[in-house]
Amino acid sequence: MSTGGLGGLNKSPNGVVFGVVQLQLPNVVTPTDLAVQTQCIVDLVAKARRNLPTMDLVVFPEYSLHGLSMDTNPAIMCSLDGPEMAAFRKACVDNSIWGCFSIMELNPGGMPYNTGVVIDAEGVIKLYYRKLHPWVPVEPWEPGNVGIPTCIGPKGCILALIICHDGMFPECARECAYKGAEIMIRTAGYTAPIREPWRYTNRSNAFCNLMATVNVCMCGSDGTFDSMGEGMIVNYDGEVLAHGTTGRPNEIITAEIRPDLVREARATWGGENNPYQL
């Protein structure tokens, strides 16, 4: 079985290389803090491109922009047409790379949404998702209302995105697969007590759906919370291709995924072709 092409260093013709950023957990209280953290993420997009020229898509964790304070202050909430999103779109263009980003989205009719976006290398938003399952009773976010969308990603792969607690519900991963996703991204802000459930659900979500999973948490401490990093890229058979176990903030974990082999397995496997057999 593939080992991820030495972390994507040796990219195959049919491969898609992902990088997941174990981002240092920030403290964001003011609009100035938000602007500083936006620039930090932009700088890490550039680092990802310099780090691995073969990389197709760089993934940032849930809460990468706002931290874990759960602050709903409208002054630091974001919108799709706001300066933070404009900076992320420009970073993708400037570095010729796709990116997956997290924002807390202003919702004039209620609590903010916990939103994830995938932006292509031309700066176009290709996927827009609102977290379906806030982590009760801690998170204040409005439950998502756009379902689980998919999009065509780099090299024609089919991508889906879920966020953190969504991945503890097998139904969410199965919905991604039934909508055709070959690769499911899962971003999170989980802290250390969830380490083991995080590891085995990332693998079970892959194996049970013949679907690669690309997963990453925030990392390091903000003085109150300790996030764990735990970037994991898992093949469609549940094998771990890459796993960040050092807990080192801002480390980028990389691997190559072969969506053509996902398609082949779904079309030809007999035993354990779970999406088909169900």
Side-chain angles (χ1 to χ4, degrees), residues 12 40 232 268:
S12 68
C40 173
M232 289 182 70
T268 65

Side-chain angles (χ1 to χ4, degrees), residues 11-71:
K11 186 176 179 179
S12 68
N14 294 317
V16 181
V17 176
F18 285 81
V20 297
V21 182
Q22 298 181 159
L23 189 71
Q24 168 64 50
L25 185 60
N27 280 300
V28 175
V29 178
T30 68
T32 298
D33 295 335
L34 187 67
V36 169
Q37 186 61 15
T38 300
Q39 186 59 50
C40 173
I41 293 169
V42 167
D43 291 344
L44 282 164
V45 173
K47 175 190 174 182
R49 169 51 71 230
R50 296 192 308 270
N51 173 270
L52 195 64
T54 59
M55 193 183 301
D56 293 292
L57 197 157
V58 59
V59 179
F60 289 87
E62 177 194 32
Y63 292 115
S64 54
L65 188 55
H66 287 88
L68 289 176
S69 71
M70 309 299 161
D71 189 350

